[in-house]
Amino acid sequence: MDKSIFLPLVQNAALLLALVFLYDAIPKKHQRQYFLLWRLGIGLLIGGIGVTIMSTPWMYEPGIIFDTRSVLLCVTGLFFGGLPTAVAVIITGIYRYSIGGAAMWVGLGVIMSSGLIGVLWRQQRKSYLANISGREIFSFAFVVHIVMLLWFFLLPDKVAIPVLQKIMLPVLTIYPLATWLLSRLLSRRFELERDEQIRLQDDFLFRSQFNVGNIGIAITGVDQKWMKVNPRLCQMLKYSEDELLHMTWKQLTHPDDVEADIVKFELMLAGKIDNYEMDKRFIAKDNSIVYTHMTVACKRANHQVLLVIAGYLDVTAQTLADREVLASREQLELVLSSSDLGVWDWDIRNDHIERNARSADILGCDIDMLNANSRQWMDSIVAEDRPKVLHSIEAHIRGETPQHKMEYRLKTLNRDIRWILDTGKVVSRDANNNALRMCGTYTDITEAKLIEESLKLSALVYDNSSEAMSVLDETGIIITVNAAFTAITGYSESEIRGQHIRMLYCDLNGHGFYTEMNNEIREKGEWQGEMRQRRKNNEEYVIWLTINTINDKDGQPYRRVALFSDITDKKQSEHLIWKQANYDTLTGLPNRRMLLEYLGAEIKSADRNRNHFALMFLDLDYFKEVNDTLGHAMGDLLLIETASRLKSCVRDTDVVARLGGDEFTVVLSAMEDHKGIERVAEHILRRIAEPYVLGEETAYISASIGITLYPDDATSIEGLLKHADQAMYAAKDQGRNRFNYFTPSMQEYAKYRMRLIQDLRQAVLNKEFELHYQPIVTMTTGEVLKAEALLRWFHPERGYVSPAEFIPVAEDTGLIVEIGNWVFEQAARQSAQWRKTLGVEIQISVNKSPIQFRDEGTLLHNWLELLQELDVTGTGVCVEITEGLLLDASMGVTEKLLAYRDAGVQVSLDDFGTGYSSLAYLKKFDIDYLKIDQSFTRNIDTDESDQTLCEAIIVMAHKLGMKVIAEGVETEAQRQVLLNAGCDYGQGYLFSKPVSASEFARQHLVKEA
């Protein structure tokens, strides 16, 4: 840059600084005191500085000069305003005009445009001059000086272009910098003036409020002590300033507010908050409570609180007034709530309804929700009732009715139905009589409606009940009766009303009955029970009567209500049901249930009187044969006759009962000795043994009786029945048609039998059985072609158990079916094995119990399948049955024996001659072998009758096409007699005892092979 330009311009910029220093030298209070004069003076000063600047310019050529007047004038216009700028422009303009030259008008234009741009910029940014930014100053400077350069185009181009080329860079570089520097100095001065003005304003406001304001103000330290308080605070707390300055604010704070204030105060001291507000109570000097709204702020330095200032607005009067209003409102709410009334207030013009909390409770919703939706209540009214409600409201609004009053049903949000009494009245109308406001109440009358309906229902029940009802006064005079009373008693209402209840007394109950009943009514106020009555026509009937007393407010009898129903049919039905439940329908004797009740009562009586009684258990012998041969109808006649005979054998005080089937019991009470018991037992046996004429048939039976004594044999009902049953079975085992006393050995046998059953079940599971085989020998040749499979049980602890001991138990328990199935399978497999391994066809006889025939089920089919599987024919297995089985037609013996025949299995009739031998049965069934019982062969060589009988059996069997097997052959003499008689086979110890399968094969099969 050319130093000839730079140095003059720098000198001009230095002169500009004098403006700032001269401005600061003038006292501020004089500026404000002589404002117009001060502004004229500033204009003259700036004009003088401008002349001084212009007197040291940089001269391009005579008449064309450059200086910093543009900077001075634009800054003057920006910071000092129009009057000082106008004075400065005039002075500098006159001076430039006096200089003259070719660029005089350019200079005058620069002076005027610079001042004008500054003044206009000030008008737009006057309030921001203290904070004007550097960017804005540079923008302002460039605008002013670009305009200044544009003025040079007033000169001829040959002059203007070189001048601009020479001066443009310095002007656009130095002039904006000088403008920015001068503006920053002046804006700082403006900033200080603004802060001072604000401080003065704040100080004025604080002092005016502190001394005469309506707010209590206090300045305190961090130690909570008051450092300065204003008069208003002293007035509020009724303490002098000196008294307060010797106290802390904590001392005067209400105890309930101290903690909340301390918490916020500590947060402010810790720097977590800068200020806080709260409602706070003080205790004044006269102990009155001052309510204030407190605002607290603090003064900090280096993050430490120096001072705390608090303002207190006295809200005591407002708070107390609000409390009174709230109390009044609460009292009103309390009155409304205690009256259980819902209240509604309808602004008709704006269609807005306000309802109270009770209304919301009735509807079952929130009060805010209810008031937010003015239609919710109306929409909840039951649809059928809503038109009537709307019509009632509209009629009252039109002035047709004095008030709106309506009962209707409301469906609550809980879906309950409530009855509402809605009343309302218009309380405000306009000049045209249009309704403006209507108020009313809701009353929940649900309970009253229910009571009303209950009363109506009670009246209906009273008039239409099938139960007789009557109301009496306290003396027993009949006041009213219902229709059922007339129907049951036969007396009309007119006949009975006004009469004393004694009119209905009946001699069927006895005089003492009514005395006791009336005494209980007087003492307890109520009575109920059965009573026998007579109708008007003298017909007897039974009622169930209930009498209750209604007392007056003093607790004295006022009315008595009598209710009764005719239970004659019920009593008869109950008696019939009781009889059916406790008596046997066939014989009319007490049944098991009645017997158990009687035994219980008899045990108590025996204990009380220290005497004995006997229990007899009777079972009819051969009753099953009567049922099977003559039919169940004849069997029922026999049981009826038996019951009659038993009753004739005992005293009236004794009890005969039927337990079921052909089992009866007799209880002989208060027996002195055994002779009386035995006399009755023998009488019973004789009577039972007498012939029974059943239609055209005559039947003969007997009885087996077991006798047990109380308390000698047992002290419980269960024990007595069990022991009597055991004694009865002992009588049967001894030959029937006799009686037997219970003995302890029977109980021991019963226990033994129970253990045997348990062991037998375990034996079935553990397969503890084994088959032994006894040969059946051909009498003529001595050849062994047949054998009988005999079951043997070797108990792990008891050792060998006789079949005679466990087979009957197995039959009684049904285990014989499973055991017999196992025996048949083992025998069949053994026969097949001997045939396969030894080449010998041995027919094995297997005993089959009658129980197996009864419970056989699918076993027959399984047996036949097994034989087919093993390829065992009739020469391999033979089934042995007893004579008694042939008599039982119910077991389907015929069909099953035919099935055996069709399968090629032979059948042997065991123990022939000991049972009900019948040639008809032998002809009917397909029997292959007859086995003569060993009781006949035992003495055949010495007893001619046995010999003759055996010969007859053999001849008869051969005539019927059967082979004969003699059991129990033990001597050669017996064998010879049988051989001479033509017996086909012999079996007994003479030939061999029963042996194991291996031993049987070794003795009778291998050597023969």
Side-chain angles (χ1 to χ4, degrees):
M1 182 182 292
D2 192 345
K3 293 182 179 180
S4 61
I5 299 174
F6 179 74
L7 290 175
L9 293 181
V10 171
Q11 290 175 358
N12 280 192
L15 290 173
L16 291 175
L17 297 177
L19 174 62
V20 178
F21 293 113
L22 288 173
Y23 181 74
D24 286 338
I26 302 173
K28 301 300 180 292
K29 65 179 181 178
H30 294 161
Q31 293 179 12
R32 291 187 291 271
Q33 187 176 3
Y34 306 104
F35 181 72
L36 181 59
L37 183 61
W38 175 79
R39 290 177 66 80
L40 289 173
I42 286 296
L44 293 173
L45 178 62
I46 294 172
I49 293 174
V51 170
T52 304
I53 290 172
M54 293 169 65
S55 63
T56 57
W58 173 76
M59 185 177 293
Y60 177 75
E61 64 181 41
I64 302 177
I65 60 176
F66 290 92
D67 49 48
T68 58
R69 79 182 86 107
S70 59
V71 175
L72 174 65
L73 294 175
C74 73
V75 170
T76 300
L78 182 62
F79 286 97
F80 295 104
L83 183 58
T85 302
V87 172
V89 167
I90 292 172
I91 293 173
T92 54
I94 292 173
Y95 180 74
R96 180 66 183 91
Y97 182 79
S98 65
I99 294 174
M104 179 188 67
W105 294 110
V106 174
L108 291 174
V110 169
I111 292 171
M112 292 178 63
S113 64
S114 297
L116 182 61
I117 292 173
V119 171
L120 293 176
W121 204 286
R122 174 186 175 85
Q123 294 299 320
Q124 298 297 320
R125 305 292 290 172
K126 183 176 182 179
S127 58
Y128 300 98
L129 292 178
N131 297 317
I132 194 166
S133 65
R135 180 181 297 179
E136 186 175 354
I137 292 296
F138 275 109
S139 299
F140 169 70
F142 276 113
V143 170
V144 170
H145 293 97
I146 286 173
V147 172
M148 181 192 78
L149 294 176
L150 290 175
W151 280 107
F152 281 92
F153 284 103
L154 294 176
L155 298 176
D157 291 343
K158 61 180 181 178
V159 177
I161 298 302
V163 171
L164 291 174
Q165 290 176 347
K166 185 75 172 180
I167 198 67
M168 182 178 294
L169 182 59
V171 167
L172 295 179
T173 301
I174 297 173
Y175 283 23
L177 288 174
T179 304
W180 174 80
L181 180 60
L182 187 59
S183 296
R184 290 302 299 166
L185 292 174
L186 290 174
S187 66
R188 176 59 182 165
R189 177 64 180 176
F190 269 76
E191 184 178 344
L192 293 175
E193 289 180 358
R194 181 200 62 190
D195 292 344
E196 177 65 16
Q197 186 177 11
I198 291 173
R199 186 187 65 79
L200 291 174
Q201 291 174 353
D202 291 344
D203 184 64
F204 172 75
L205 290 174
F206 176 75
R207 289 185 179 279
S208 63
Q209 289 298 320
F210 190 82
N211 293 321
V212 297
N214 195 35
I215 298 176
I217 302 174
I219 300 174
T220 65
V222 295
D223 57 357
Q224 304 175 7
K225 287 185 177 181
W226 271 315
M227 301 170 61
K228 188 171 183 60
V229 295
N230 71 339
R232 176 56 182 160
L233 184 60
C234 296
Q235 180 184 357
M236 289 165 55
L237 302 181
K238 300 179 177 61
Y239 286 97
S240 66
E241 182 178 358
D242 185 61
E243 287 174 325
L244 290 177
L245 295 180
H246 287 83
M247 304 172 73
T248 65
W249 51 260
K250 183 178 178 181
Q251 291 176 270
L252 299 181
T253 303
H254 192 282
D256 293 343
D257 296 343
V258 170
E259 183 178 356
D261 197 1
I262 290 294
V263 169
K264 292 187 176 182
F265 188 79
E266 294 293 340
L267 290 174
M268 189 174 67
L269 295 183
K272 295 183 180 179
I273 59 175
D274 292 327
N275 52 71
Y276 65 89
E277 294 185 33
M278 64 177 290
D279 290 327
K280 179 176 176 180
R281 291 168 292 177
F282 286 98
I283 299 177
K285 189 174 183 178
D286 59 358
N287 288 325
S288 62
I289 297 178
V290 179
Y291 295 85
T292 68
H293 180 74
M294 179 177 68
T295 303
V296 182
C298 66
K299 174 71 174 177
R300 300 182 189 275
N302 298 324
H303 305 291
Q304 296 294 321
V305 176
L306 299 179
L307 297 174
V308 177
I309 184 168
Y312 305 96
L313 180 63
D314 188 350
V315 294
T316 303
Q318 180 182 349
T319 301
L320 294 178
D322 290 344
R323 287 193 173 188
E324 289 180 0
V325 172
L326 180 60
S328 300
R329 186 174 300 170
E330 289 177 348
Q331 289 176 355
L332 179 59
E333 287 291 336
L334 182 61
V335 170
L336 292 175
S337 61
S338 61
S339 64
D340 227 15
L341 291 176
V343 178
W344 53 273
D345 187 345
W346 182 19
D347 182 351
I348 299 175
R349 179 171 293 176
N350 297 317
D351 193 21
H352 177 72
I353 301 179
E354 284 287 334
R355 296 180 174 90
N356 68 343
R358 175 56 183 160
S359 304
D361 291 341
I362 293 174
L363 189 58
C365 69
D366 182 75
I367 181 64
D368 296 331
M369 186 197 330
L370 178 60
N371 287 330
N373 182 4
S374 59
R375 291 290 308 170
Q376 185 163 358
W377 183 279
M378 186 61 67
D379 293 340
S380 299
I381 298 175
V382 173
E384 293 86 348
D385 297 347
R386 198 177 302 146
K388 295 183 293 183
V389 177
L390 293 173
H391 177 73
S392 174
I393 294 174
E394 291 171 358
H396 175 63
I397 290 176
R398 290 194 300 267
E400 298 173 4
T401 58
Q403 68 172 352
H404 155 65
K405 188 174 184 179
M406 178 65 60
E407 292 181 2
Y408 55 80
R409 292 165 294 169
L410 185 75
K411 182 182 290 186
T412 69
L413 299 189
N414 297 327
R415 309 193 68 81
D416 295 331
I417 300 297
R418 311 294 298 176
W419 274 95
I420 305 299
L421 172 60
D422 188 353
T423 59
K425 194 169 186 178
V426 173
V427 296
S428 178
R429 293 181 182 271
D430 61 12
N432 297 322
N433 203 33
N434 294 319
L436 300 177
R437 183 182 176 196
M438 185 174 178
C439 298
T441 60
Y442 301 125
T443 306
D444 187 343
I445 59 171
T446 306
E447 298 299 328
K449 277 289 184 180
L450 292 176
I451 293 173
E452 179 183 341
E453 292 178 4
S454 177
L455 291 174
K456 290 180 180 178
L457 181 61
S458 298
L460 289 173
V461 170
Y462 184 79
D463 293 334
N464 297 282
S465 174
S466 61
E467 189 171 17
M469 301 181 186
S470 60
V471 179
L472 320 175
D473 67 10
E474 70 278 8
T475 64
I477 301 299
I478 300 174
I479 300 174
T480 180
V481 297
N482 68 346
F485 184 97
T486 299
I488 293 174
T489 64
Y491 291 99
S492 65
E493 185 177 0
S494 59
E495 290 175 320
I496 204 73
R497 190 190 303 118
Q499 300 295 325
H500 197 278
I501 192 65
R502 282 192 296 269
M503 177 182 179
L504 299 177
Y505 282 8
C506 177
D507 56 0
L508 296 173
N509 299 300
H511 180 72
F513 173 84
Y514 292 103
T515 302
E516 293 177 4
M517 179 183 73
N518 290 328
N519 289 338
E520 187 169 342
I521 293 174
R522 280 191 292 269
E523 292 175 3
K524 299 181 179 179
E526 59 184 12
W527 184 90
Q528 67 174 359
E530 288 185 10
M531 179 184 293
R532 299 183 66 82
Q533 287 290 98
R534 280 196 176 95
R535 305 186 206 277
K536 184 179 179 181
N537 61 7
N538 213 35
E539 179 186 350
E540 295 181 10
Y541 63 104
V542 183
I543 65 170
W544 179 263
L545 173 64
T546 300
I547 299 178
N548 292 302
T549 301
I550 301 174
N551 296 325
D552 58 19
K553 61 181 180 179
D554 298 324
Q556 297 301 314
Y558 174 65
R559 292 287 186 267
R560 301 194 195 275
V561 179
L563 301 90
F564 63 87
S565 55
D566 187 346
I567 60 171
T568 306
D569 293 340
K570 179 181 177 183
K571 292 293 290 183
Q572 293 174 349
S573 299
E574 287 178 352
H575 179 71
L576 178 60
I577 293 171
W578 178 84
K579 188 173 181 180
Q580 290 174 345
N582 293 279
Y583 285 84
D584 178 49
T585 55
L586 178 65
T587 64
L589 296 178
N591 60 12
R592 176 181 291 273
R593 176 177 175 177
M594 188 69 174
L595 173 67
L596 295 178
E597 290 183 5
Y598 179 77
L599 285 175
E602 189 65 19
I603 287 174
K604 292 180 180 178
S605 175
D607 291 342
R608 184 170 57 251
N609 299 321
R610 299 183 180 277
N611 55 24
H612 300 67
F613 69 86
L615 173 64
M616 292 183 176
F617 199 104
L618 290 83
D619 185 82
L620 302 182
D621 304 326
Y622 313 115
F623 174 74
K624 183 177 184 300
E625 285 75 5
V626 174
N627 248 353
D628 291 343
T629 56
L630 301 181
H632 290 284
M634 294 297 104
D636 288 346
L637 289 176
L638 187 146
L639 292 174
I640 295 171
E641 176 63 22
T642 299
S644 176
R645 294 182 184 184
L646 287 174
K647 290 170 66 177
S648 68
C649 294
V650 298
R651 300 167 297 181
D652 292 338
T653 56
D654 301 327
V655 172
V656 178
R658 181 190 177 202
L659 298 184
D662 59 347
E663 294 180 340
F664 295 85
T665 58
V666 177
V667 181
L668 305 177
S669 60
M671 300 303 295
E672 296 294 336
D673 52 35
H674 287 206
K675 292 181 180 179
I677 299 173
E678 293 171 3
R679 188 166 50 252
V680 173
E682 290 171 352
H683 190 192
I684 290 175
L685 291 174
R686 286 195 302 272
R687 291 284 287 134
I688 297 298
E690 294 175 0
Y692 289 83
V693 179
L694 306 175
E696 297 180 355
E697 300 288 341
T698 300
Y700 296 89
I701 64 171
S702 61
S704 298
I705 304 175
I707 304 173
T708 188
L709 304 176
Y710 179 88
D712 304 25
D713 299 330
T715 57
S716 66
I717 297 174
E718 294 80 4
L720 289 170
L721 290 172
K722 181 175 67 174
H723 293 168
D725 185 57
Q726 291 171 355
M728 182 271 294
Y729 274 107
K732 279 189 176 293
D733 292 342
Q734 294 172 14
R736 307 183 183 183
N737 193 25
R738 65 185 67 243
F739 65 85
N740 197 65
Y741 284 100
F742 169 79
T743 62
S745 61
M746 294 178 186
Q747 181 68 8
E748 291 299 322
Y749 174 73
K751 292 181 180 178
Y752 166 77
R753 178 182 170 88
M754 183 178 66
R755 288 195 299 269
L756 184 62
I757 293 172
Q758 295 173 350
D759 292 344
L760 192 59
R761 293 185 187 277
Q762 199 65 33
V764 173
L765 294 175
N766 298 337
K767 301 187 184 318
E768 297 175 0
F769 299 107
E770 182 181 350
L771 286 185
H772 282 201
Y773 300 91
Q774 188 175 31
I776 299 175
V777 180
T778 306
M779 296 291 282
T780 55
T781 64
E783 185 179 8
V784 177
L785 298 177
K786 299 167 66 66
E788 182 178 0
L790 299 171
L791 186 64
R792 295 293 181 264
W793 177 21
F794 294 95
H795 192 279
E797 297 177 359
R798 299 166 55 185
Y800 173 76
V801 183
S802 171
E805 185 177 354
F806 72 80
I807 290 297
V809 174
E811 289 180 332
D812 290 343
T813 58
L815 290 172
I816 192 65
V817 176
E818 189 172 352
I819 295 173
N821 186 46
W822 180 83
V823 170
F824 183 87
E825 182 179 348
Q826 294 299 312
R829 293 187 183 280
Q830 187 63 65
S831 177
Q833 181 186 1
W834 282 338
R835 184 191 63 205
K836 182 178 180 181
T837 58
L838 301 179
V840 179
E841 290 285 349
I842 296 294
Q843 185 185 62
I844 300 177
S845 297
V846 178
N847 290 284
K848 187 165 186 179
S849 166
I851 305 301
Q852 289 177 265
F853 267 91
R854 183 186 64 201
D855 299 330
E856 191 169 40
T858 60
L859 287 180
L860 174 61
H861 179 71
N862 294 340
W863 283 15
L864 298 179
E865 282 189 348
L866 177 64
L867 294 177
Q868 186 176 5
E869 177 188 340
L870 298 174
D871 194 23
V872 175
T873 62
T875 59
V877 175
C878 178
V879 175
E880 291 191 7
I881 63 175
T882 59
E883 283 183 296
L885 183 65
L886 301 179
L887 300 176
D888 196 341
S890 64
M891 296 187 184
V893 176
T894 303
E895 293 78 7
K896 293 174 183 177
L897 291 178
L898 288 174
Y900 284 133
R901 184 195 65 185
D902 294 341
V905 178
Q906 293 184 332
V907 177
S908 175
L909 189 61
D910 196 12
D911 299 334
F912 185 78
T914 61
Y916 298 94
S917 303
S918 171
L919 294 177
Y921 282 111
L922 292 177
K923 285 181 60 179
K924 179 179 179 181
F925 297 105
D926 290 329
I927 306 298
D928 298 290
Y929 300 96
L930 281 183
K931 296 188 75 173
I932 301 175
D933 188 73
Q934 60 182 348
S935 63
F936 298 114
T937 61
R938 185 178 298 118
N939 300 315
I940 193 172
D941 56 339
T942 58
D943 191 329
E944 292 185 2
S945 60
D946 285 348
Q947 183 178 347
T948 302
L949 184 59
C950 288
E951 290 175 352
I953 291 174
I954 293 170
V955 171
M956 177 194 66
H958 286 168
K959 290 293 184 181
L960 294 175
M962 304 177 190
K963 299 289 186 179
V964 179
I965 303 171
E967 294 182 305
V969 181
E970 298 181 354
T971 65
E972 181 61 30
Q974 293 171 349
R975 187 188 75 81
Q976 191 61 45
V977 172
L978 290 169
L979 179 61
N980 295 335
C983 184
D984 301 291
Y985 299 97
Q987 178 182 352
Y989 282 4
L990 175 64
F991 308 109
S992 174
K993 293 182 178 181
V995 294
S996 64
S998 59
E999 184 65 20
F1000 182 90
R1002 188 183 64 80
Q1003 291 182 9
H1004 305 291
L1005 302 182
V1006 175
K1007 64 181 181 180
E1008 294 181 3

